[in-house]
Amino acid sequence: MSTAFTLQAATPDTLADIHALHPDPAEAARRLSVTQERVRAGQLDPARFLLLRADGAVLGVCFVGPNARVPLFPTYRADTPAGALTAFLRELRRRVSDTPDRQLLLDDTLVTPRPAEAVQAGWVPDSQHVIYRTDLRGRPHAPDPDVTAVSPDDPGVAEALRELGRPDWEAAEGWTLHALRREGQVLALGATGPGGRPGEAGLDLIGVRPAQRGRGYGARLHAHLLGVAAQTFASHTGGTDAGNHAMRRTFERSGSVLLSTQQYYRQH
């Protein structure tokens, strides 16, 4: 592959390049149709996509959206030359330099992480997260007798939320707060409700109170929440810091499967 490359914004005439790296041609065609429709309707500016090309082929793509809270999720070919990838990641950093909190996220389901090139481009390694998926269909999850649905106003719940650093927790639509209690004392809190995709549950394992940690309460509450979610949803996708080995063991004990590893980078 040639070392010569170009960095260009997409145009209405190059929309197909935005989806050129998708591994499923049928899905790429479907997404292209949606993209074309959104561009025609004025809902999407193709110039927000940065394209990396060499020898007439697309090597990298990244959408630079207006929401500063959403990290950049680049995709690029595994055989992208180091110099081209460094330039691509450096240009992405330049494009978000006016929002210094904007992060770069390398997900190993989308790309082969190339930390050397990311650092060379000026990105600073920040944190690493792991994402797990749990298939809830047909899985028995016996309810835990010590876990009940509660309200933030119930005795001991507000105090536990404060101790766990979540004093302002409020139930979103469709979500329910649960407490694991022994002898009237709230030991751990968690919540469940709809996730971000159809058929997918969301779980928020708020935590186990510090004095009660290391006794398996978090794993019990997590299993109970999955059981509640299984009554309505088909799956759950959730994550934790890669170094949170206790939570990772909880996922694994619940039959969750490691889906991806995500490396976050910051600008400074």
Side-chain angles (χ1 to χ4, degrees):
M1 182 182 294
S2 169
T3 57
F5 62 88
T6 61
L7 291 168
Q8 298 172 328
T11 69
D13 295 327
T14 61
L15 295 181
D17 289 346
I18 293 172
H19 306 290
L21 298 181
H22 197 285
D24 182 344
E27 178 61 17
R30 187 194 70 78
R31 294 188 181 197
L32 173 58
S33 177
V34 173
T35 298
Q36 291 169 331
E37 175 84 21
R38 293 186 65 200
V39 170
R40 283 194 294 268
Q43 299 171 346
L44 179 65
D45 180 2
R48 286 195 170 275
F49 289 90
L50 178 65
L51 301 172
L52 170 65
R53 292 194 186 91
D55 296 333
V58 177
L59 300 185
V61 182
C62 189
F63 177 65
V64 185
N67 189 344
R69 294 185 177 182
V70 178
L72 303 178
F73 282 85
T75 57
Y76 51 81
R77 282 173 39 172
D79 62 348
T80 302
L85 181 56
T86 298
F88 178 58
L89 298 178
R90 182 181 294 121
E91 175 61 16
L92 289 175
R93 187 169 64 86
R94 186 194 68 78
R95 289 190 173 208
V96 297
S97 60
D98 59 339
T99 52
D101 292 335
R102 192 74 172 267
Q103 291 186 303
L104 172 74
L105 195 162
L106 300 184
D107 186 312
D108 67 0
T109 63
L110 298 175
V111 298
T112 300
R114 304 264 294 267
E117 284 88 339
V119 171
Q120 184 67 27
W123 293 95
V124 180
D126 188 29
S127 61
Q128 189 175 74
H129 295 255
V130 286
I131 308 300
Y132 285 85
R133 185 178 187 277
T134 311
D135 186 351
L136 302 177
R137 295 168 297 186
R139 292 183 59 88
H141 292 287
D144 191 302
D146 290 327
V147 180
T148 57
V150 296
S151 160
D153 298 325
D154 287 350
V157 175
E159 179 186 351
L161 285 170
R162 285 193 297 272
E163 190 172 327
L164 293 168
R166 303 285 293 277
D168 299 324
W169 187 93
E170 294 183 2
E173 184 176 356
W175 279 70
T176 305
L177 182 65
H178 298 260
L180 190 156
R181 292 187 282 198
R182 297 291 299 273
E183 299 178 353
Q185 182 183 7
V186 176
L187 307 181
L189 290 170
T192 186
R197 299 176 183 175
E200 187 172 88
L203 262 68
D204 182 1
L205 191 62
I206 296 170
V208 179
R209 301 180 79 166
Q212 305 297 334
R213 291 172 185 169
R215 303 180 186 184
Y217 294 137
R220 285 175 54 185
L221 180 57
H222 187 257
H224 180 91
L225 295 176
L226 289 177
V228 173
Q231 298 174 24
T232 308
F233 302 99
S235 66
H236 164 63
T237 301
T240 188
D241 187 276
N244 187 348
H245 299 293
M247 189 65 218
R248 296 186 68 168
R249 287 193 295 271
T250 295
F251 274 118
E252 291 158 5
R253 288 168 183 160
S254 297
S256 307
V257 176
L258 181 63
L259 193 64
S260 70
T261 299
Q262 300 179 336
Q263 175 67 60
Y264 286 81
Y265 293 82
R266 51 187 169 81
Q267 296 183 54
H268 303 288

